[in-house]
Amino acid sequence: MNIALIIAGGSGNRMGQDIPKQFMHVDNCPIIIHTLNCFQQHPDVDSIAVVCLKGWETVLQSYANQFNITKLKWIFPGGSCGQESIRNGVYGLRDNGVDMEDLVMVHDAVRPLLSQETISSNIAVCKSYGYAITGIQCREAILESEDGFSSTTSIPRDKLIRTQTPQTFRLKNLLRAHEEAIEKGILNSVSSCTLMCELGGREMHIVPGSEKNIKITTAEDLEILKALMHTSKDSWLK
C-alpha cells in the first residue's frame, strides 16, 4: 500500500490567529482538507493517516466526512514537536498492522497545493531507491549569519536543496530511524530528511518539487496561497 501520513500536530503560533492554521478556511474549505484532497484524488494512494493536534480530532473527522475524504483511515495524536508527531504516526501505523514494506509519504498538513505529479514521483522513486525527498534547487544567494542581522559569509548555492514534503520511505525504514533516534538522544529534528542525515548512512534521492508547493506558516503565506489558487498558466507559455 501507499499511505499518506499528514502531520497536523502543530498549534500554528507563528500565524498568530485564533485557530490552528491547518483548520483555517480558504475558499470555504479548511486548508487541511485541501491538502487531504491531493491524496484523495491520486489513484495510487490507498489510505490517509493524520497526526492531529489534541482536541481537534473530532473537528478533523467532521470535515473529512463533509468533504468526502473517504481515504482517511487513522487519526493519531500530535506530539510536542514535529519529530514526535511523525514518530506517533509511524508507531500508529505499525500498531494498526500496516505492512513494513508499505510506502509512507510524510507530508505537512499546510502544503495544500501539492501536485499529482509530485506524489507520483515520490512513489516511483521510493519504490526504486527506498527513499524519496521532495526538493528544489536553491536559486537565491545565501548568506550565513549568527545573529540574523549581519553576515560576512556566503554559502555557494549550487549544491543546496530546499526540501519540501512529501518525504517518502518504507515503513520499516521510518520505524528503524525513529527507534535509533531515541537511542542516540536525537529528539527534535525538524523533518524526516534531517533526521536521516543526523543518523547518517542513508542516501536520499531528490524528487523535483515546485515553488507552488508552499508551506503556510505566516499570514503572508496565506495571501500567496489565495493568489496561487486563483491563477492559471498562460496558454502562450511553454
Side-chain angles (χ1 to χ4, degrees), residues 130 145 176 207 218:
S145 176
R176 188 180 302 122
V207 170
T218 66

Side-chain angles (χ1 to χ4, degrees), residues 2 44 103 121-132 168 170:
N2 302 317
D44 294 331
L103 269 58
S121 295
N122 265 263
I123 293 171
V125 170
C126 189
K127 283 183 176 179
S128 296
Y129 300 103
Y131 299 86
T168 306
R170 294 196 183 277

